[in-house]
Amino acid sequence: LDGVSLRFDINEHIAVSGPPGGGKSQLALALARLLEPSSGQITIGEQDLSELPEAVIGRRLGYVGQDPYLFNMSLRDNLLYGLKHVPRNAVSYREGDKRRWFDIVEARRSGNPEFDIADDWIDYEAAGATGPEDINEKLIAVLPLVELEEDVYQFGLRGTIDPEQQPRIAAAVMEARRALRSRLADSNVGNLVEPFDRNRYNKNMSVAENLLFGTPVGPAFAAERLSENAYLWSVLESQGLVPALFDVGRQIAETMVELFADLPPGHEFFEQFSFIGADELPEYRALLGRIGKAGPERASQKDRALLVGLTFPYVEARHRLGVIGPEMEARVLAARHAFAEGLPTELAGAIEFYDETRYNAAASLQDNILFGRLVYGQAQAAAIIGRLISEVLDGLGLQHRVLEVGLDFPVGNAGKRLTAAQRQKVGLARALLKRPDLLIVNEATAVLDAASQARILAAVLKARAGQGVFWVVPDKHAVDGFDRVIVVRDGRIVHQGRPDELDPAAE
């Protein structure tokens, strides 16, 4: 920047345009005090920006760049991060609890402040809320402005809750389950879902899922180690199911070896029959050679486990090899009941059984509402049922509850579980939430398509009516709706005025 001189009111909406590398981004960084001018000064009123405490800058200015940093916390915590300045409500500790004393000692020894990280640091007033009770309203209200509402809704459907900690949401989901079941029964799309029924084999579930008939909790019944589970093996043996599954596994292995013999790795069949990979074919080919036509009693424990384990991910409706007939279904059902009835006390918490009358704490909201499996091979089944679930939730006024769960989505280290577009939207939403006197947006929607950028820009300007916005736009075509346009080129302001006064040749 060279010789830049500019004055504007704090409540104006300013668009900054210009060629890439011309200085428009540096102007935004300087205004946010992220770059220090080598000469001259920036003042707000009569205050020199460089002399204002960070506590003031952090509260009164909001800055969003192209790559906002997200912390390895929930989406909610990342949105609220800009509201955390000082402890506001202290946590109370029980008498004799030495954790806080230990933290204070450590803070003093290391020269750090004695603030308690467990306190409530959120400045609810800055967001327009009165406290924890209504902050969710403010969080959810900002999502549509940056077109993040649908993403958070999907996070919520895939999220889980503790029904004991959130009984109202659990009760609402159970109500949605009953409403969806009624809608499916009264519509022509009921054939798109095969509901869970304790006394019926579900052809759209795997053999393992039919045996367990519940959601595993922890590693005990994890799919990748299920064939090693001693209790499950004891049930299969007591029900005489090992020889039958051994034969089914052999049929699957023979079919796979024959089918995949001349196919290159990466062929679509490997994805369709995902329970066996290209690198595993030699092992199964050798296994079949070892056992021949012998039964499980003549095979080693390792070979038995491999073949029986091969049946666990098999889904009859998806893989369609015809190896699970009515007789096998009946035997798996008998083993299902024996598995549930004889489950040892030490494994009681390792699986959450499906029960139509109870919320399944280990399953997602969507799975709890659906309480069944989508039928394989039905065109657009996921989209149709997804819309139906959305209609049910909307009709019951439960969309808000799902969004609350979606806000608890863990974004991962530096937000890696989100797309680049979602990260930019979160950064913008975080800045909007604290309602700064001046919002500085430095090409913060650059990865979005032009139509999305235009919609978000218009929504933010409308929401910020009467509040300052300083927005570095991608080009001169994105300046509609601003009070003034500034064009920066080669480090200098070459034009400023109303959008309708912009010189076509200014850039």
Side-chain angles (χ1 to χ4, degrees), residues 170-487:
V173 168
M174 292 298 293
E175 185 179 2
R177 178 190 294 179
R178 291 187 289 270
L180 179 65
R181 184 62 56 85
S182 178
R183 290 283 296 273
L184 288 173
D186 296 338
S187 69
N188 58 357
V189 296
N191 63 331
L192 298 182
V193 178
E194 184 173 5
F196 294 146
D197 185 334
R198 187 173 182 272
N199 297 310
R200 287 185 58 191
Y201 187 94
N202 191 314
K203 288 182 169 59
N204 291 279
M205 293 166 63
S206 68
V207 171
E209 290 171 325
N210 270 287
L211 282 167
L212 302 181
F213 200 65
T215 309
V217 180
F221 295 109
E224 61 273 12
R225 299 186 61 185
L226 196 56
S227 60
E228 302 171 14
N229 187 278
Y231 172 65
L232 180 60
W233 266 101
S234 70
V235 171
L236 297 179
E237 289 175 342
S238 68
Q239 297 297 308
L241 201 52
V242 170
L245 290 178
F246 182 88
D247 287 339
V248 170
R250 175 161 42 198
Q251 292 178 58
I252 293 174
E254 289 172 347
T255 303
M256 295 302 98
V257 167
E258 180 181 355
L259 184 64
F260 295 158
D262 300 318
L263 296 181
H267 192 278
E268 62 184 66
F269 280 3
F270 284 108
E271 182 178 351
Q272 181 181 352
F273 299 98
S274 54
F275 43 75
I276 187 168
D279 57 335
E280 296 174 309
L281 278 178
E283 181 179 8
Y284 281 100
R285 187 178 289 111
L287 186 156
L288 292 173
R290 283 195 304 273
I291 64 172
K293 297 298 181 180
E297 67 282 351
R298 296 183 59 184
S300 68
Q301 178 57 36
K302 179 182 178 181
D303 287 349
R304 281 199 300 271
L306 280 172
L307 287 182
V308 171
L310 193 58
T311 68
F312 288 161
Y314 178 81
V315 180
E316 184 61 52
R318 178 187 178 189
H319 302 121
R320 300 179 180 277
L321 299 180
V323 294
I324 304 292
E327 182 182 350
M328 179 61 76
E329 289 180 4
R331 300 182 73 171
V332 171
L333 283 177
R336 172 195 294 180
H337 295 147
F339 175 87
E341 291 163 6
L343 191 68
T345 305
E346 63 271 18
L347 292 176
I351 188 164
E352 183 87 13
F353 291 113
Y354 299 131
D355 184 340
E356 193 170 3
T357 64
R358 294 178 62 247
Y359 185 92
N360 188 317
S364 68
L365 261 65
Q366 180 166 274
D367 285 347
N368 267 286
I369 296 169
L370 187 61
F371 199 71
R373 283 286 185 272
L374 292 176
V375 173
Y376 283 102
Q378 296 291 331
Q380 302 295 315
I384 294 170
I385 296 303
R387 284 195 297 270
L388 194 57
I389 290 175
S390 191
E391 290 172 10
V392 166
L393 291 170
D394 193 41
L396 295 173
L398 299 178
Q399 296 271 15
H400 190 97
R401 300 290 185 198
V402 177
L403 289 171
E404 287 183 9
V405 177
L407 289 171
D408 292 325
F409 178 77
V411 304
N413 189 30
K416 294 302 183 184
R417 296 189 67 192
L418 303 179
T419 65
Q422 288 170 338
R423 288 196 294 271
Q424 288 196 339
K425 291 176 180 181
V426 172
L428 184 55
R430 177 166 58 192
L432 287 167
L433 185 65
K434 70 176 184 178
R435 304 189 304 172
D437 293 323
L438 180 62
L439 174 66
I440 303 166
V441 184
N442 193 355
E443 295 189 276
T445 57
V447 301
L448 305 180
D449 61 82
S452 298
Q453 290 191 52
R455 290 194 303 269
I456 290 174
L457 190 152
V460 171
L461 292 183
K462 182 178 180 181
R464 294 279 300 174
Q467 297 173 298
V469 176
F470 192 88
W471 197 305
V472 178
V473 296
D475 55 57
K476 62 186 178 183
H477 303 294
V479 300
D480 290 341
F482 286 92
D483 299 320
R484 197 182 342 168
V485 182
I486 296 168
V487 180

Side-chain angles (χ1 to χ4, degrees), residues 1 18-26 488-493:
L1 298 174
K24 58 182 181 179
S25 179
Q26 285 72 22
V488 182
R489 185 171 59 214
D490 297 330
R492 295 176 177 271
I493 294 178

